Every structure is written in C-alpha cells, then in structure tokens.
Amino acid sequence: MRKSIATVSVSGTLPEKLEAVAAAGFDAVEVFENDLIACPLPPEEIRRRAADLGLGIDLYQPLRDFEAVPGDVLRGNLRRAEHTLELMTRLGADTLLVCSNVSPDALPDDALAAEQLHLLAERAAGHGIRIAYEALAWGRHVNEYLHAWRIVRMAGHQGLGVCLDSFHILSRGSDPIGIEAIPGEKVFFLQLADAPRLAMDVLQWSRHYRCFPGQGGFDVTGLVRHVLATGYAGPLSLEVFNDVFRQSDARRTALDAMRSLIALEEALLPSGAPPVVPSGFAFAELATGGSAELPALLSALGFARTGTHRTKPVELWEQGGARVLLNANPATEGTATPEETEPGLVAIGLETPDPAASVKRAETLLAPVLPRERAPRDAPLDAIAAPDGTALFFCRTGHADHPDWTADFPRESPVPDGDVTGIDHVALTQPWQHFDEASLFYRSVLGLRPQESMEVADPYGLLRSRALAGGGTRLVVNIARVVGAHQAPRQHVAFAVRDLRALARRLRAEHPGLLLPIPANYHDHLEARYATDPEIRELGLLYDRDERGEFLHLYTVTAGQVFFELVQRIGGYGGYGAANAAVRLAVQHAERS
Amino acid sequence: MRKSIATVSVSGTLPEKLEAVAAAGFDAVEVFENDLIACPLPPEEIRRRAADLGLGIDLYQPLRDFEAVPGDVLRGNLRRAEHTLELMTRLGADTLLVCSNVSPDALPDDALAAEQLHLLAERAAGHGIRIAYEALAWGRHVNEYLHAWRIVRMAGHQGLGVCLDSFHILSRGSDPIGIEAIPGEKVFFLQLADAPRLAMDVLQWSRHYRCFPGQGGFDVTGLVRHVLATGYAGPLSLEVFNDVFRQSDARRTALDAMRSLIALEEALLPSGAPPVVPSGFAFAELATGGSAELPALLSALGFARTGTHRTKPVELWEQGGARVLLNANPATEGTATPEETEPGLVAIGLETPDPAASVKRAETLLAPVLPRERAPRDAPLDAIAAPDGTALFFCRTGHADHPDWTADFPRESPVPDGDVTGIDHVALTQPWQHFDEASLFYRSVLGLRPQESMEVADPYGLLRSRALAGGGTRLVVNIARVVGAHQAPRQHVAFAVRDLRALARRLRAEHPGLLLPIPANYHDHLEARYATDPEIRELGLLYDRDERGEFLHLYTVTAGQVFFELVQRIGGYGGYGAANAAVRLAVQHAERS
C-alpha cells in the first residue's frame, strides 16, 4: 500500500523533513501548513524537491473553521480557501484536508455545513482539487466521523469526501465498525496515529502524545481493516504530533515511522511472515573495559571460564544455562558507544529456531544489520543493532542443523553446575528520545509482547520502565529522566537462581562487599507489610509478590555501567520487582557518591 | 508561621534533602515513607541530623489503605500501623498522616471507618502520636475533605483530626469555604501545593504536576485564609510532587519553595509591604563579546553613543527613551554564564520609585543580592540575580531625590530622537528546570502579573513562553525543549517604535541584510487570513491582531545570543506576536545553519 506521512511528524525544516521521509522509503507526504509558512522556498521549489526525492504530495492540510458559518464569515473563509487552492496548485497537491469547525462562529446546522462544503468543493474542482472533510475530536458541533460522513453525503458533491483519522475516532471511543457504512470512493484519505491511553483533555492528548501505530494503546490495525473493507485504495498516512519526535533526529524518526507501517501492513495481510520469537538468551556479551571487575564478579557468583575465542580477545564464562562473553576489545561489536571504555553490556545473543529468518525479518523491519568481521573458520553469526546500539545476535546453540557459535570457543573446562540456571532477563537503558521506538522495535522485530510501562522514583529524577517478553526472552527497557551528574548504571543482566537463599548465604559468607547493601529501613517496612520471615532480612534479600507468586532478588555492586541481579521466581510471579527499584537506585547512588 | 516541607518535594537522598531544606530556612519537614525506606541511616540518626539542622519532623506520611476494611484485613493493617508507630517513635515524629483508602477492600461504611480510625487513634495515643486523616482526591469512597471531617467527628477521639491538602481540595473543584466548619483544633495539619489547570486524570496530575503556591492556577492563599479562620495554628507545609523538581538542584528548589511560602504569608497579612512594581526599563545591558556587531546594529537602528562610563569599559547608547549599555567586560556584572564570551544580555535596569525598598523586598524574597565593584565616585546601584543569572538593577533615572546612574556616563553627544521611543519588552530564555521558579520570582519580587503560558513550535522542539507585565515593565520568559545542537538565540530586546513602516523602509533601503528575512509563504498566508495591505509584505513586516488592536513587528539578525525586535502596538494590542514566533524561529535556524 502507498505509504505517506505528515511533515509535522518529524523534526527540522521542510527540506530536511522531505529528505528524511524519502530516505525512509515513504511514497508521499502530507504538507502541514505551518511547515510551509515558515519555509523560505516557494511552493514550486518544494514541489520540485519532493518530486526529485520521489515523493508525492498527497495532501495539504488543514483548512480550518470553514463550514457552517454565517454569510459574512463565509466571505472571509472563501478568500482564505481561494488562497489555499492557488497555493496547492503551485505545490501540486490535489487533496485538501478541511477539519471540522471549532470556532464560536460555527452553527449547529448540518444542512448549512453541507451547502458550504458543496460550494467549496465546487471551487476546488475548478483547480482539480478534492476536499477531504474530517471530524476533529474537539470540533464544535461535528466531532464524530459518522457525523462528518452524514454531512458529506448530504452535500452530494463528487469532489467532496471524508478524511478518517484514527486518533480522532479512537480517542473518543467511537466504534470504527461504522466506517464500513462509507463507500470506499468517498474515503478520500486515511490518517493514522496511535496514542497511549491517557485520561486527559483530548486536544492536549492529540497535540503532544500521539505516536506511531503499535507504540500506543489503540487498535489502529482493526480500524484500518474497516477502512479497507470499504474498498479504500488510498495511502496509509501517518499524522503524529509528539513532543519527543519534535526533538529527535528526523531520519531516525522517519525510519521508526516506516517500521510502524510495515508492521501494520504485515498484521493486515495473512500472508505476512510471523515474527520468529526468540526462545531465550544464548549469551550476554560484556565489555571488560580492561578491568578485572567482571571476571571477579562472575567467579564469585559461581561462573567459570569455559573457553576462549579462537581469534578474538573474548572469553566464554558459563554456569548452568547462563553464558556470558567477556570481551576485552568490544569495538568489534555493535555500534560505538561513549561507555565502551568502561565495563558494560555490548551485545545480547538470542536463541532462535531459524537465525536466517530472524535476520530477514529484522531487515524487512528496517533494523540495521551489522557488518561482521569474521575469521574464515568462525561460525556465521548475524547481528542487528538495537535502538540503544546494543548488538543483537541470532543464535542456534547446540543444534546439528546450524553452525554453533560455541564451536569458536574451544572448551577449556566443564560448565559448572551451580545455583545459577540461566539468564532471566536483561535490562537496557535507552536514550530518552527512543522509548517508544524501542518498544516498537522489540515488538515488531522480535515478536516480544510489551507490558504496561511503569514509573520508578529515582532520588534525582524519574525512571520509566517497560518489560517486553515472549518465548522465554525477557527484556526490560528503561529511560531515565535524571540530571546528567546523577545517572544510574545503564544495564544489568539478571540471572535465574534455583535457591537464592542458599546462594545469598554463600555470597555473604565468602564475598562480603559483593552484594549491594539493603537498608534496614527497607526490611522493617517489608516485615510490616508482608510479615516476611527474618531470614530475608538476615540475607539482605529483596522481596515482592503478585497474585500468582513470590519474587526474591538481590543485586551485585556495579562494574562500570553494568551490574548483575540474582532472581528466584516462586510460583507464577510475572514481574521484575519494580516495587524495589527505587530502593536499589537510592543505594546505587549512595555507593557512587 | 511555622514553615515545613515534605521530603518528596526536593531531589536527592534523605540527608541531602534535610540539608537543602534547612539551608532555605524551613522550620520542619514531613518525612515521606519512601525516602526513609531507601535511606541507609537508622531513624534515630535521621532524627539526630534533623535536630542538628534545627528541623522538626512535624509529620510522617503516609499510612495507606487503613480504614473501613473487613476484620481479616484490619488485622494486617494494625500490624502495619504498629510498625509505623514504632518507627515514628524512633524518628521523633508525633503526627501520622493516614490517607483515605483507595483499595478494593475498602467498604463504603462511614461508621466502620470511624470505628477503625478510633481504634488506630487509641493505639497511636499509647505512643504519644496523633492521627491526621486526609481525603485523597481519588480515594475509593472518601475523596472530599468534608467527608473526611464527617468521619473524624463521628470517631470522636481527641487524638484524631483531619489533614487538609490544597491540591486534593482544589483539584476536585470543592469549595474551601467549608473548611470553616471544622474547629481549628481538629485541623491537625495543612499541606500546600499549587498546580497548573490541566484537564487530566487527577492522580497523574497530582503525582507529576504539583508546584509551589503561586506557580500554578489554584487560589491557595484563599484556602489558607479559610484554614486560619478555623483557628489552626500548625505549620504551613509544602507537599509537591513534580517531575521537574525531582531533577533539579535540591538547594535551589528549597529556596524556591521558601520564596513561595514567604509570598503566600505576605498575601495573607495586610501588614506586608506590597511589591514595588518597576515602572519600566532604565536600560538593557549587553556584553559585546569583543565584537563590533552590536554597535553596528544599534547605529543602524538610529541609536548613538551618548556617553562612556567613567571607570569601566561600558558605553551608553540611546535613542528616544531607549537606553542600551554595551559592556566590553561583562565579568563585572551578573553571575558568570557560559555565553559571556559572545554578545548577549547580561543585565536589565528597572526603574523603581524606591530602589532601596526594591532591594529590601528582593532580599526578603530570597533573591541573591549581587556584590558590586564600584569606584568611589560611582552612583550607588543595587542589583540582584534573576533565576537565569541576568543581573537586575534597581534605578531611579533623572530624579533629584536619588543618585542618577547616568551621571557615571559623562555626556558625549545628545540623545537622538528617532523612531525608537523606548524598550517595549525583554525576552529571556530560562534553563528548563526553572520556568516555574522564574514566574514566581518575577511575580513575587517585582510584582509583575504572569499571563497564560503558551507553546510555540520550533523546528527542532517546542518552546514554552510566558509573559509577565506590570507598571510599564514587560518580560517574556521562555524555556526551550530543543536538542542541544539546535538552540535558538537566548535573548532579545524589543524596542517600541513610533512608525514601524517608516523605520522598516529606511532600514531596507540603507541596511539590507540587517533584518531577518521573512518567507513569502508567510505573507501569502497573512494576506489570505487578514487581507493585510501589500506594504506589509513589501517591507517584510510581521503582523498580528487581537480583539483590542494590531501589532507590527520585525527582527534584526542575531549577534551571538541576542537580537533586537522592533515593535509597534496599534490600539490596545496586548500580546507579543506569539503567532509569528514559529516563523521567526524557523528563519533563525536557517540563518544559523
């Protein structure tokens, strides 16, 4: 399907927006009036640049406060409209969005609205232009899409149709099934936006919190199905007003936007390949930063070095089903990060039933495939870059049907069988502009299901956190709204432990100082709240419960940007101990200062 | 009155919070449970530190979800309560905040609530502790302050009273006059917070957008009057949950908080000195950054150098009633800013009827008074630092009753009488954390009236803007949510012009390149919208109108961090041409790149 995006959805000047949108592979744009007004280029030049970039200008928007007005107001409105139609001729745009009147001048008179829209459509037809009438969710009298359709049908002009906008329809809770009452040839345009579910004024919600389909809480796909059922054959066009995207790199936002449309299209077509959901973690790869901190931490936790890469300064450390790679030269993996000189997570290996299919899907969804330096004997191992720059490797460990990456690490010693059984989850901090992008990335590329996002108090700010899970893989993505000097560690790897009490007892005895100290005030509170047993305090464990089970966990001290968590899930506990994150952050800040 | 603040209102660890709060001169704190839980210090040590700092612990908060529950739930709740009471004994806090139950366990049974609160009050009395019951705005059954009072009266225990919170009362639109139905001795505590008027879920509103009294849209002073009318003699305590304050420097936030209480107290007491409102601008002082750009711009605009400071490298430039100081060595003025090596605004001179009273008031409101290096013959001139670091001088120009600062600039040439008649307004960009602080500062220290804040689209982000005006002085404070590389100029000085068309004609003829070029698309739009005359396009003017008049304006190119605006107000136009700010920003960005 033809893919379009409103210029307001990305940052920059109008020429910068056009370039970013074209680079992401869009077919067309909607030109937003304010972008044009502020642009020093004449409309003819904008038209030429769009054409050179292979972009159509599928819509010009908006003409506001036009219909259902008294005669004297109409005269001024027609003058405005005539200017807009002339401008569109210069711009080469053939469809004009008219949004329902919000001014106090508007009269609650459908017949008058229809009559004046008919007049406008007639004038527009003289310029070869069509009018797409849209019900704004906060329109003064017309704010439901079926009401807009009623007026369009009443007007009965072939150059007049409706514009449907998923935000305006879904934010009001209207049922989109009524779209099927509209003949496809009268749906002149379809604008798509998602949004988080927020209980707030719909105008503010629309202007600041829209996001790309799949990043919010609306069933945009379901709405598009109803639109396609009418026979609509026009573009899918994104119109997103978002405070974060306004400040983000235009090219990156445009790629994120295109990814959302590809995922949406895939969800619409039964023929689309389903995501290849990873079945768990093959490994976590950490840069050592030239320090001995990480090997010491892993040793203490019961890991052993079981192999060393044939050609690279990378060691394999294992315990039970948990594998950690320690890389002394991480510049060869992932994309460069400013933290790469100190210990930190640089890559994650994911188990997949079909690595080639995983990479193909990632490419389809515009994930950057990373070039790999590989010695001739090394196992092929494909990697993509996640939004935070971490490399994601697609692995198939220990299966005869695929080369095994562990073969590159000739075995030096057996895998110890200790309390750690595997990797439970990995937590990654995203740049603050990329939280929604990260959710969509992991959801669409890996098929993980996002859970509700949560807020955690940090002594110096707020942390927003969202878990994504599926097929045995659990990721937690965080963004920190924290002032510069007070950043918490960026990443952690959580190991699943069989008996956390036993492990904690051993660690406290043998490695004092290895575990993050937990304030006595926390355990006072825990006992008062949950009547927990004294051993939890004695061992310095953290505790949480949900309706399905219990959670014991604890944290190691931090090495560079990374630390380890040890977790034991009891029963069907499904969370991540978020209730304790504020305590953990406070102690980490105290340890650092 | 005793002044207190909840520890949640400022950033940092609990000891850091206590220090910041004490440094700002507060008498006491409310200890917020989460701050204590995350703190490694035992309660006795927190008590000792607070005492050493001269701070009382006037409240511990909150005990949640206690009352109106079935018997089995009550047992667990009493265990929690007993723990909290013991903790408070260690902490030395004698009042416990119990907020109304939000859990699904709560029953809609006032008699049961009263009975269980009576039981709690009885237990608390055994520890010498009082219970202050508060209606949360989102309480399950109890969410109105009069409902909480009904239950407290029904319980009839002398150790049980109500806690009133201005946010919970005013956010629901409840009339605070009903407070006078409560005997003062039953008002155990008063928590104050303001908030901007937002149409959103009240829980989210409360957790993220509270601000200090005078920074939002609530009549907090009116509410406090009702509370004092009951005979309440307890503390005024600030409880503010705010995402920005969470990330700000704790000491600065605490001072801002104290300023809000001083201003509130002043508004309550008829004896308080009213603000000395400046009657206009004495001068704007700009650092030249060693460049000839600013003198060249001022010359072109019709200014002349009329004097040079006796002892400092500072020139006085004048035209009509507009005075500009050009300072070649601004390190002697204001506080240091990273921009001081390039041209920028460093100080503003304000005309006041009584400079000494102005400074005294500023000191009372915790504005930093700046030390002044002054040669023996120089006129005394007092200055304070505004929140953005700009120095504010209090002047009395041309009055025999006060030394005149212009006497330090022996006259070299007469003041030219051109089109510029004075300074209309000055616009300052604030660090993003200090927008609410800046509003309160200018309102309380200078007595300016804040207008509604507005949002302006920037090609690379959003700008929030608020004008403050009074007595002939107009300031515009902006914050820019824009990514680093794309900052717009930080400041501008707007000169009032008698006939902007004439001035523009002269400038276009004699100084091409001096004025910011305005896109033709803007004028196309203007003509369609307002049917403006062709001369406005020809002269490159910007135009706006409101219900009282019209506004013509234009901008010069930028020198360093500063540019000039030329404005002509026709009729009673009261705005600042905000509708055109997005165009101005787009052109400025284009000029810079």
Side-chain angles (χ1 to χ4, degrees):
Chain A
M1 298 180 72
R2 187 171 174 89
K3 295 182 183 68
S4 166
I5 185 166
T7 53
V8 72
S9 313
V10 299
S11 69
T13 62
L14 188 48
E16 287 169 349
K17 289 170 190 241
L18 294 177
E19 280 165 31
V21 163
F26 281 89
D27 303 301
V29 291
E30 308 173 20
V31 170
F32 182 56
E33 182 173 75
N34 292 14
D35 285 322
L36 183 109
I37 290 174
C39 180
L41 304 177
E44 293 81 359
E45 173 66 13
I46 296 165
R47 173 188 199 155
R48 196 185 61 73
R49 292 206 185 184
D52 288 352
L53 291 163
L55 290 173
I57 298 179
D58 281 9
L59 188 83
Y60 184 78
Q61 61 124 323
L63 183 69
R64 295 184 197 277
D65 298 336
F66 179 83
E67 82 288 7
V69 294
D72 57 324
V73 178
L74 181 65
R75 274 188 298 279
N77 289 357
L78 282 171
R79 191 189 63 234
R80 279 196 292 129
E82 197 58 49
H83 158 74
T84 303
L85 295 169
E86 280 159 25
L87 171 68
M88 287 175 64
T89 305
R90 298 170 64 195
L91 200 57
D94 67 359
T95 306
L96 171 62
L97 174 70
V98 175
C99 44
S100 60
N101 203 322
V102 301
S103 90
D105 291 332
L107 302 168
D109 183 338
D110 287 359
L112 185 65
E115 180 193 318
Q116 295 179 348
L117 287 170
H118 188 284
L119 181 62
L120 176 64
E122 193 61 27
R123 299 253 180 131
H127 296 265
I129 289 171
R130 309 188 306 168
I131 302 294
Y133 181 57
E134 172 185 76
L136 289 181
W138 52 90
R140 191 166 171 87
H141 303 295
V142 178
N143 42 46
E144 292 276 359
Y145 73 95
L146 287 172
H147 193 177
W149 164 231
R150 171 179 298 281
I151 290 169
V152 164
R153 189 164 70 174
M154 196 183 293
H157 191 290
Q158 68 167 13
L160 178 68
V162 296
C163 173
L164 299 174
D165 180 306
S166 61
F167 183 88
H168 291 298
I169 297 169
L170 299 174
S171 65
R172 294 184 57 96
S174 305
D175 193 321
I177 199 170
I179 291 171
E180 300 191 16
I182 312 173
E185 72 272 14
K186 293 305 258 184
V187 182
F188 280 10
F189 210 74
L190 174 60
Q191 293 178 312
L192 299 179
D194 202 343
R197 293 260 167 216
L198 298 171
M200 70 185 298
D201 173 62
V202 69
L203 176 62
Q204 294 303 318
W205 190 16
S206 173
R207 293 222 171 135
H208 300 285
Y209 297 98
R210 287 184 180 218
C211 54
F212 297 125
Q215 296 181 342
F218 290 164
D219 180 11
V220 181
T221 311
L223 180 139
V224 173
R225 277 211 186 88
H226 293 302
V227 177
L228 296 180
T230 68
Y232 173 76
L236 302 180
S237 189
L238 298 166
E239 188 196 25
V240 166
F241 304 82
N242 181 295
D243 288 358
V244 173
F245 298 166
R246 279 182 188 281
Q247 301 174 58
S248 305
D249 177 71
R251 288 186 171 246
R252 183 161 182 158
T253 307
L255 278 176
D256 185 25
M258 179 52 90
R259 182 178 301 132
S260 84
L261 281 186
I262 294 169
L264 172 67
E265 198 169 37
E266 183 184 77
L268 288 168
L269 304 173
S271 60
V276 186
V277 182
S279 59
F281 293 98
F283 61 81
E285 179 170 351
L286 306 173
T288 60
S291 127
E293 290 172 278
L294 289 175
L297 272 175
L298 289 175
S299 277
L301 295 179
F303 281 76
R305 192 182 75 193
T306 56
T308 303
H309 195 277
R310 266 198 295 256
T311 58
K312 296 177 187 169
V314 182
E315 299 175 351
L316 172 60
W317 287 67
E318 292 183 84
Q319 180 178 189
R323 298 180 204 95
V324 176
L325 300 182
L326 293 185
N327 191 335
N329 180 19
T332 60
E333 311 287 9
T335 55
T337 69
E339 291 78 18
E340 70 189 10
T341 52
E342 53 178 340
L345 186 85
V346 290
I348 298 170
L350 296 168
E351 294 290 350
T352 154
D354 185 347
S358 289
V359 172
K360 185 156 177 300
R361 179 177 178 78
E363 280 186 283
T364 304
L365 286 152
L366 309 178
V369 176
L370 294 173
R372 293 276 297 152
E373 276 181 35
R374 185 160 76 84
R377 287 171 59 204
D378 287 359
L381 198 54
D382 292 304
I384 60 171
D388 66 345
T390 308
L392 299 180
F393 288 86
F394 294 111
C395 308
R396 187 147 167 78
T397 313
H399 286 84
D401 60 4
H402 195 274
D404 191 333
W405 63 276
T406 63
D408 295 338
F409 295 83
R411 182 156 303 284
E412 295 168 6
S413 69
V415 178
D417 182 30
D419 291 293
V420 170
T421 58
I423 294 176
D424 183 86
H425 65 274
V426 174
L428 303 165
T429 297
Q430 309 294 313
W432 66 269
Q433 305 97 316
H434 302 151
F435 191 74
D436 289 332
E437 178 191 346
S439 289
L440 176 63
F441 180 91
Y442 293 114
R443 194 182 71 95
S444 64
V445 175
L446 302 182
L448 304 183
R449 288 182 311 280
Q451 296 172 232
E452 281 299 293
S453 80
M454 298 197 292
E455 279 166 350
V456 175
D458 179 291
Y460 303 99
L462 265 188
L463 198 85
R464 206 171 140 211
S465 181
R466 170 174 276 159
L468 297 107
T473 308
R474 295 188 188 94
L475 289 176
V476 176
V477 296
N478 296 321
I479 50 163
R481 281 272 189 191
V482 174
V483 282
H486 292 292
Q487 299 300 325
R490 295 179 68 244
Q491 307 141 334
H492 75 263
V493 179
F495 296 119
V497 172
R498 201 178 282 128
D499 179 350
L500 189 58
R501 292 176 191 243
L503 178 55
R505 200 171 297 119
R506 181 177 71 73
L507 291 174
R508 298 236 169 250
E510 297 172 12
H511 302 280
L514 181 99
L515 298 179
L516 202 67
I518 302 303
N521 296 334
Y522 169 79
H523 286 109
D524 288 350
H525 172 76
L526 206 59
E527 288 168 10
R529 173 132 191 217
Y530 294 120
T532 46
D533 63 80
E535 197 183 49
I536 286 181
R537 174 195 295 267
E538 186 191 316
L539 296 173
L541 299 175
L542 294 111
Y543 175 86
D544 191 27
R545 68 166 66 145
D546 65 13
E547 63 284 1
R548 292 178 299 163
E550 294 178 297
F551 189 58
L552 292 172
H553 59 143
L554 46 73
Y555 303 97
T556 68
V557 293
T558 301
Q561 288 296 333
V562 71
F563 61 94
F564 299 112
E565 184 179 2
L566 301 165
V567 314
Q568 181 181 1
R569 294 174 185 274
I570 300 163
Y573 179 86
Y576 298 83
N580 301 323
V583 172
R584 188 255 298 166
L585 285 163
V587 178
Q588 284 177 332
H589 282 297
E591 295 279 298
R592 290 201 155 193
S593 63
Chain B
M1 300 181 71
R2 188 171 171 87
K3 296 183 182 68
S4 165
I5 186 167
T7 53
V8 73
S9 312
V10 300
S11 69
T13 62
L14 187 48
E16 287 169 349
K17 289 170 191 243
L18 294 178
E19 281 165 30
V21 162
F26 281 90
D27 304 301
V29 292
E30 309 173 21
V31 170
F32 182 57
E33 182 173 77
N34 291 15
D35 284 322
L36 183 110
I37 290 174
C39 179
L41 304 177
E44 293 81 0
E45 172 66 14
I46 296 165
R47 173 187 199 155
R48 197 185 61 73
R49 291 205 185 186
D52 288 352
L53 291 163
L55 291 173
I57 298 179
D58 281 8
L59 188 84
Y60 183 78
Q61 62 125 320
L63 182 69
R64 294 183 198 278
D65 298 336
F66 178 82
E67 83 288 7
V69 294
D72 57 324
V73 178
L74 180 66
R75 274 188 298 279
N77 289 357
L78 282 171
R79 191 190 62 235
R80 279 196 292 129
E82 198 57 51
H83 158 75
T84 303
L85 295 169
E86 281 159 25
L87 170 67
M88 288 175 64
T89 305
R90 298 170 64 194
L91 200 57
D94 67 359
T95 306
L96 171 62
L97 173 69
V98 174
C99 45
S100 60
N101 203 322
V102 302
S103 90
D105 290 332
L107 302 168
D109 183 338
D110 288 358
L112 185 65
E115 180 193 318
Q116 295 179 348
L117 286 169
H118 187 284
L119 181 61
L120 176 64
E122 193 60 27
R123 300 250 180 135
H127 296 265
I129 288 171
R130 310 189 306 167
I131 302 296
Y133 181 57
E134 171 185 77
L136 291 180
W138 53 90
R140 192 168 172 85
H141 303 295
V142 178
N143 42 47
E144 293 276 0
Y145 72 96
L146 287 173
H147 192 177
W149 164 232
R150 171 179 297 281
I151 290 169
V152 164
R153 188 164 71 174
M154 197 182 291
H157 191 290
Q158 67 166 14
L160 177 67
V162 296
C163 173
L164 299 175
D165 179 308
S166 60
F167 182 88
H168 290 300
I169 296 170
L170 299 174
S171 66
R172 293 184 57 97
S174 305
D175 193 320
I177 200 170
I179 291 171
E180 300 190 16
I182 313 173
E185 71 271 15
K186 292 306 253 184
V187 181
F188 280 9
F189 210 74
L190 173 60
Q191 294 179 312
L192 299 178
D194 201 344
R197 293 259 167 217
L198 299 170
M200 70 186 299
D201 174 62
V202 70
L203 176 62
Q204 294 304 316
W205 191 16
S206 172
R207 294 222 171 134
H208 301 285
Y209 296 98
R210 287 184 180 218
C211 52
F212 296 126
Q215 296 181 341
F218 289 165
D219 180 12
V220 180
T221 311
L223 180 138
V224 174
R225 275 210 188 87
H226 293 301
V227 177
L228 296 181
T230 68
Y232 174 77
L236 301 180
S237 190
L238 298 165
E239 189 197 24
V240 166
F241 303 81
N242 181 296
D243 288 358
V244 173
F245 299 165
R246 280 181 187 280
Q247 300 174 57
S248 305
D249 177 70
R251 287 185 170 246
R252 183 160 182 158
T253 306
L255 278 177
D256 185 26
M258 180 52 88
R259 182 177 301 131
S260 83
L261 281 187
I262 294 170
L264 172 66
E265 200 170 33
E266 183 185 75
L268 287 169
L269 304 173
S271 59
V276 187
V277 182
S279 59
F281 293 97
F283 62 81
E285 179 171 351
L286 307 173
T288 60
S291 128
E293 290 172 278
L294 288 176
L297 272 175
L298 288 174
S299 277
L301 296 179
F303 283 75
R305 192 182 74 192
T306 56
T308 303
H309 195 278
R310 268 199 292 258
T311 58
K312 296 176 187 170
V314 181
E315 299 174 352
L316 172 60
W317 287 66
E318 292 183 83
Q319 180 178 189
R323 297 181 205 93
V324 176
L325 299 182
L326 293 185
N327 191 334
N329 180 18
T332 60
E333 313 287 9
T335 55
T337 69
E339 291 77 20
E340 68 191 10
T341 52
E342 54 177 339
L345 186 85
V346 290
I348 297 170
L350 296 169
E351 293 290 350
T352 153
D354 185 346
S358 289
V359 172
K360 185 155 179 299
R361 179 177 177 77
E363 280 185 284
T364 305
L365 286 152
L366 309 178
V369 175
L370 294 173
R372 293 274 300 152
E373 276 181 37
R374 185 161 75 85
R377 288 172 57 205
D378 287 0
L381 199 55
D382 291 306
I384 60 171
D388 66 345
T390 307
L392 298 181
F393 287 86
F394 295 111
C395 308
R396 185 146 168 80
T397 314
H399 285 84
D401 60 2
H402 196 273
D404 192 333
W405 62 276
T406 63
D408 295 339
F409 295 83
R411 180 155 306 281
E412 296 168 5
S413 68
V415 179
D417 182 29
D419 292 294
V420 171
T421 57
I423 295 177
D424 182 87
H425 65 274
V426 174
L428 303 165
T429 297
Q430 309 294 315
W432 66 269
Q433 306 97 315
H434 302 151
F435 190 74
D436 289 331
E437 178 191 346
S439 290
L440 176 63
F441 180 92
Y442 292 114
R443 196 181 69 94
S444 63
V445 175
L446 303 182
L448 304 183
R449 289 182 311 280
Q451 296 172 233
E452 281 298 293
S453 80
M454 298 198 292
E455 279 165 350
V456 175
D458 178 292
Y460 303 98
L462 265 187
L463 198 84
R464 210 172 136 207
S465 182
R466 168 174 280 158
L468 298 106
T473 308
R474 296 187 187 95
L475 288 175
V476 176
V477 296
N478 297 321
I479 49 162
R481 281 272 189 192
V482 174
V483 283
H486 293 292
Q487 299 300 325
R490 296 179 66 243
Q491 307 142 336
H492 75 264
V493 179
F495 295 119
V497 174
R498 201 176 284 128
D499 179 351
L500 189 57
R501 291 176 193 243
L503 178 56
R505 199 171 297 116
R506 181 176 72 73
L507 291 173
R508 298 235 169 251
E510 297 172 12
H511 302 280
L514 180 100
L515 299 179
L516 203 66
I518 302 303
N521 296 333
Y522 169 78
H523 285 110
D524 288 350
H525 172 74
L526 206 58
E527 288 169 9
R529 174 132 189 217
Y530 294 119
T532 47
D533 63 80
E535 197 183 48
I536 286 182
R537 174 196 295 267
E538 189 190 312
L539 296 173
L541 299 175
L542 295 109
Y543 174 88
D544 192 26
R545 70 165 64 145
D546 65 13
E547 63 284 1
R548 292 180 297 164
E550 294 179 296
F551 189 58
L552 291 172
H553 59 142
L554 44 74
Y555 303 98
T556 69
V557 293
T558 301
Q561 288 296 333
V562 71
F563 62 93
F564 299 112
E565 184 179 2
L566 302 164
V567 313
Q568 182 181 359
R569 294 174 185 275
I570 301 164
Y573 179 87
Y576 298 83
N580 301 323
V583 172
R584 189 255 296 169
L585 285 163
V587 177
Q588 284 177 331
H589 281 299
E591 295 279 297
R592 292 202 152 190
S593 63

